[in-house]
C-alpha cells in the first residue's frame, strides 16, 4: 500500500507528479531517460529534493536529449559538477553520460528504450519480477541498484505498487492499461509480483 497516496495529492511539490506521472505508462525516449536519471540522483536524498531540482536537471542535461548527453566530454562533466541546480555527484553525473550511450545502443538492438523494456517483460514465460529486472539493469546500466530500478519501473507501470487500489490515480492508470497488466496477459494470466522496495513517500 503506497503511503505516497496519503501525502502527495494536493502537495505543492508532489501533487502533479503523483496525479499525472507516477505509475503512468510512458514511451518517449527523453521522458524515460529523465525518469532514470532522476531516480539515480534520488539515491541517498529525498524525492522532494529531486522534484524541486527537476527544472534544473532539464536545463543542465539539455532536456534529457540522449544524443546530447551521450556526447558530453570533460568540459560538460565539470559544468555539471559546478551546477547548484542539480545534484553534484561525480558518480551520478558519469552514470548519466554512460547510460545515455546505453540508450543509444538500444535503438540499434531493439528500436529504442521503450521497446527494450517491452522485450524483457517476461522471463521464462512469466512476468519478470523486480529481482529479474535488477539483474538485467545491472548488466546494462550504471548506478541501478534495487531501489532505483524498482522505483523507475513502478513509475512507468512496468511493476505494480505505485498507488493503492483506492487511489484515483490508480483507477486512471488501470483505464489506460499499465504495462504490468500487459505482461500478465502475455504470460497467460500469471501475476506480476509486487516490487519489494518501500513505497515512495514525500519524505523519502
Amino acid at each position: 500500500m503506497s503511503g505516497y497516496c496519503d501525502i502527495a495529492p494536493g502537495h505543492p511539490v508532489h501533487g502533479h507528479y503523483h496525479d499525472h506521472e507516477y505509475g503512468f505508462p510512458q514511451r518517449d525516449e527523453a521522458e524515460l531517460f529523465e525518469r532514470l536519471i532522476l531516480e539515480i540522483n534520488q539515491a541517498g536524498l529525498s524525492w522532494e529534493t529531486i522534484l524541486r531540482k527537476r527544472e534544473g536537471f532539464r536545463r543542465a542535461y539539455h532536456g534529457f536529449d540522449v544524443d546530447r548527453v551521450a556526447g558530453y566530454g570533460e568540459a560538460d562533466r565539470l559544468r555539471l559538477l559546478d551546477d547548484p541546480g542539480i545534484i553534484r555527484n561525480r558518480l551520478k553525473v558519469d552514470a548519466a553520460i554512460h547510460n545515455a550511450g546505453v540508450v543509444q545502443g538500444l535503438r540499434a538492438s531493439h528500436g529504442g528504450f521503450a521497446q527494450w523494456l517491452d522485450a524483457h517483460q517476461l522471463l521464462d514465460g512469466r512476468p519478470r519480477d523486480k529481482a529479474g529486472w535488477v539483474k538485467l539493469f545491472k548488466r546494462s546500466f550504471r548506478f541501478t541498484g534495487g531501489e532505483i530500478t524498482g522505483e523507475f519501473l513502478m513509475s512507468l507501470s512496468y511493476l505494480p505498487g505505485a498507488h493503492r487500489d483506492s487511489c484515483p490515480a490508480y483507477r486512471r492508470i488501470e483505464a489506460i492499461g499499465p504495462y504490468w497488466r500487459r505482461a500478465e496477459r502475455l504470460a497467460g494470466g500469471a501475476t506480476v509480483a509486487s516490487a519489494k522496495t518501500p513505497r515512495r513517500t514525500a519524505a523519502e
Side-chain angles (χ1 to χ4, degrees):
M1 185 174 293
S2 179
Y4 202 46
C5 299
D6 294 324
I7 297 171
H11 190 281
V13 178
H14 295 275
H16 184 275
Y17 180 75
H18 169 276
D19 293 348
H20 302 285
E21 296 183 74
Y22 190 46
F24 285 77
Q26 180 58 257
R27 309 291 299 173
D28 181 73
E29 180 183 80
E31 294 279 355
L32 297 177
F33 184 56
E34 176 186 18
R35 200 73 58 87
L36 179 62
I37 300 311
L38 294 182
E39 292 293 350
I40 287 171
N41 277 273
Q42 189 269 336
L45 302 168
S46 73
W47 186 239
E48 183 164 331
T49 295
I50 300 303
L51 290 180
R52 288 186 181 277
K53 288 180 174 286
R54 192 174 190 180
E55 289 306 316
F57 274 103
R58 285 174 173 166
R59 288 191 298 271
Y61 284 97
H62 292 97
F64 294 98
D65 181 295
V66 167
D67 294 322
R68 289 286 297 272
V69 177
Y72 284 175
E74 187 59 23
D76 285 299
R77 285 184 172 86
L78 294 174
R79 171 181 61 81
L80 293 167
L81 290 170
D82 195 44
D83 189 339
I86 65 170
I87 305 303
R88 293 177 286 183
N89 177 295
R90 180 170 287 277
L91 291 176
K92 293 176 180 181
V93 167
D94 287 348
I97 298 168
H98 172 84
N99 291 340
V102 173
V103 174
Q104 284 182 318
L106 298 181
R107 296 175 190 159
S109 64
H110 291 81
F113 198 176
Q115 290 83 357
W116 179 81
L117 291 166
D118 294 343
H120 290 92
Q121 281 195 269
L122 300 186
L123 179 63
D124 298 327
R126 297 183 59 82
R128 186 181 294 268
D129 62 9
K130 180 192 166 187
W133 280 112
V134 171
K135 289 180 181 178
L136 177 67
F137 267 69
K138 284 186 174 182
R139 291 199 304 266
S140 307
F141 294 96
R142 284 186 189 170
F143 217 115
T144 49
E147 290 191 20
I148 291 168
T149 301
E151 278 292 348
F152 172 74
L153 292 164
M154 278 199 297
S155 79
L156 297 165
S157 86
Y158 282 94
L159 285 174
H163 300 272
R164 64 162 55 101
D165 294 0
S166 59
C167 179
Y170 178 92
R171 294 193 290 273
R172 290 199 299 274
I173 293 166
E174 281 287 321
I176 297 169
Y179 295 139
W180 61 268
R181 288 286 191 202
R182 181 177 62 188
E184 290 181 341
R185 291 195 299 272
L186 291 171
T191 59
V192 179
S194 294
K196 299 301 183 184
T197 54
R199 299 299 184 247
R200 168 151 285 152
T201 68
E204 286 178 345

